[in-house]
Amino acid sequence: FLLAMACVDLHAMMEADKFIGAWRLVSAEFRTADGAIAESPYGSEPQGLLIYDALGTMSAQLSQSGRRPFAVADRLAGSAEEIKSAFESYQAYYGRFTVDEREHVVTHTVMQSLLPNWVGTEQRRHYKFKDGRLILRTPPLLIGGRRVTGELVWEKLRLARE
C-alpha cells in the first residue's frame, strides 16, 4: 500500500514538474456553448507568456499582437479610447499554482490581476500535455457579454544551448 502511494505521489510530482518553465502562447481559440467559434479577446495572432516556477509561483500575460501605442508615452496620460483599447487587448495576472494530476486540473490562485475581479479567485484550467505542448482549457468565462470556453496552446521556451 505504501509503495503504491509513493508511486502515485512520485507520478504526481513528475506531472507537476512538466509545468515548470516559461511557455509561449501558440494559439487561443474560444467557443460558445453550442461549439461556435467566438472572437478571441487576443485576436487572430495572440501573444503570451506563462511562467511556472518550482516554488509554486506563476505569472501569465496574454495580448493581441500589434497593439497601438498611446500618442504620448505616459501610461497615465492616455485618452479614454487608448486606455480602453489597451485594457481590452491585454490580460495579466500572477499568483500561486497547484496541480491536481488525477483531475488534470491546474489551479491558479490569483494574487493580483489587471482585471481586479480576479484578485483572490481560483482560476481552474483543465490541462493536457501533447506533442511537447501544454493545452489549457478554461471553464466558461464571461467575455464581451458572452459565455465562452477557451483552449490555449502553449509551447515551452528552450534555452539556446538546449
Side-chain angles (χ1 to χ4, degrees), residues 2-47:
L2 290 177
L3 180 59
M5 290 302 294
C7 289
V8 168
D9 288 344
L10 179 60
H11 179 69
M13 284 192 312
M14 291 187 325
E15 187 81 19
D17 287 345
K18 292 180 184 179
F19 283 86
I20 307 305
W23 300 81
R24 177 184 69 85
L25 185 61
V26 174
S27 66
E29 184 176 272
F30 290 82
R31 294 186 178 269
T32 59
D34 64 3
I37 293 178
E39 184 177 345
S40 170
Y42 310 115
S44 60
E45 296 178 26
Q47 297 179 331

